[in-house]
């Protein structure tokens, strides 16, 4: 089975995340997309980051009606701070018959050379890159690379920060969130 790993804090998960993940699930060779909820880094200031399990619950609520999209708490079980290479190593040990790929925005590809063991990740895993609007250029070593696949996904310029700020200001953000996520946020009074 081919699994695409979509890492994020998902604070909160929004329709932009779902559009990109579903586009990849329907228009690539990936069988499933796992939303890997990144745990709160204990060394960073908490700010407005919700509890790990509250964010996982929102991902569950957002994906429960999509067969190919799955929530994952895999990084909750790993020592912090964690690196993507460690998560991949752990997943390969746990699921030796699965083929894991990364999903990232073009903005992340621009800083990929700064990731721990990025060359090893690229040697052993495919990377699916969705477009983002940004000014800086992608490093030449990643242009035309056989393991890096540019995906013609819709450009989603929607951010969790924008949503949190809008909620704090009392604005209606319902159209930006999956219905079950909006109901959960509203019920729990999050980000207000």
């Amino acid at each position: 089975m081919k699994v695409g790993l979509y890492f994020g804090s998902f604070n909160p998960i929004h329709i932009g995340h779902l559009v990109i993940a579903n586009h990849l699930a329907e228009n690539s060779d990936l069988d499933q997309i796992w939303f890997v909820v990144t745990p709160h880094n204990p060394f960073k200031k908490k700010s407005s980051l919700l509890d790990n399990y509250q964010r996982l619950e929102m991902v569950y609520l957002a994906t429960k009606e999509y067969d190919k999209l799955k929530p994952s708490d895999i990084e909750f079980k790993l020592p912090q701070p964690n690196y993507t290479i460690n998560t991949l190593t752990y997943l390969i040990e746990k699921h030796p018959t699965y083929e894991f790929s990364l999903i990232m925005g073009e903005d992340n590809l621009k800083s990929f050379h700064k990731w721990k063991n990025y060359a090893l990740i690229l040697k052993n895993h495919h990377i699916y890159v969705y477009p983002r609007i940004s000014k800086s250029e992608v490093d030449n070593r990643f242009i035309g690379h056989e393991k890096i696949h540019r995906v013609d996904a819709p450009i989603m310029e929607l951010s969790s920060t924008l949503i949190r700020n809008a909620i704090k200001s009392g604005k209606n953000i319902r159209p930006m969130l999956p219905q079950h996520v909006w109901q959960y946020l509203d019920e729990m009074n999050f980000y207000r």
Side-chain angles (χ1 to χ4, degrees):
M1 177 155 68
K2 293 186 173 187
V3 176
L5 302 173
Y6 192 1
F7 291 84
S9 58
F10 304 113
N11 186 41
I13 187 170
H14 53 68
I15 59 162
H17 296 126
L18 284 182
V19 167
I20 289 164
N22 191 66
H23 182 87
L24 279 157
E26 296 299 328
N27 297 289
S28 74
D29 61 346
L30 298 172
D31 300 306
Q32 288 185 352
I33 310 296
W34 292 2
F35 286 84
V36 181
V37 180
T38 308
H40 174 251
N41 183 333
F43 303 106
K44 285 190 178 169
K45 199 172 133 233
K46 187 151 184 177
S47 69
S48 62
L49 188 66
L50 293 181
D51 171 86
N52 295 343
Y53 289 96
Q54 290 167 330
R55 292 180 291 118
L56 181 68
E57 176 66 11
M58 286 190 287
V59 172
Y60 165 74
L61 291 169
T63 59
K64 67 181 182 177
E65 294 171 1
Y66 299 87
D67 291 341
K68 296 178 180 180
L69 309 182
K70 308 287 180 201
S72 172
D73 65 354
I74 199 78
E75 288 200 333
F76 294 6
K77 303 170 178 90
L78 300 174
Q80 294 301 312
N82 188 37
Y83 297 97
T84 302
I85 188 72
N86 300 350
T87 304
L88 289 165
T89 302
Y90 180 81
L91 284 169
I92 291 163
E93 286 171 10
K94 199 169 157 106
H95 305 282
T97 61
Y98 288 20
E99 184 181 312
F100 292 100
S101 299
L102 298 182
I103 296 168
M104 68 173 68
E106 191 173 34
D107 51 334
N108 283 319
L109 182 61
K110 291 174 183 179
S111 61
F112 183 60
H113 63 282
K114 296 177 182 172
W115 290 26
K116 182 179 181 184
N117 296 12
Y118 82 88
L120 188 61
I121 293 172
L122 204 48
K123 180 182 173 199
N124 297 314
H125 303 276
H126 289 267
I127 299 177
Y128 291 80
V129 179
Y130 58 88
R132 296 295 296 259
I133 296 171
S134 63
K135 291 180 176 43
S136 60
E137 296 295 315
V138 171
D139 193 305
N140 280 338
R141 70 189 117 177
F142 302 135
I143 294 173
H145 195 286
E146 64 179 334
K147 293 272 183 97
I148 297 176
H149 312 280
R150 291 184 175 274
V151 180
D152 191 22
I155 295 176
M156 302 299 295
E157 288 302 307
L158 183 59
S159 75
S160 297
T161 304
L162 173 102
I163 290 169
R164 290 193 307 273
N165 291 338
I167 292 171
K168 201 179 288 178
S169 302
K171 293 183 171 56
N172 179 1
I173 46 80
R174 264 178 98 161
M176 299 179 193
L177 299 169
Q179 182 185 354
H180 299 299
V181 172
W182 181 83
Q183 288 168 340
Y184 179 70
L185 282 178
D186 191 51
E187 196 178 292
M188 300 297 280
N189 231 4
F190 288 147
Y191 309 121
R192 291 203 171 119

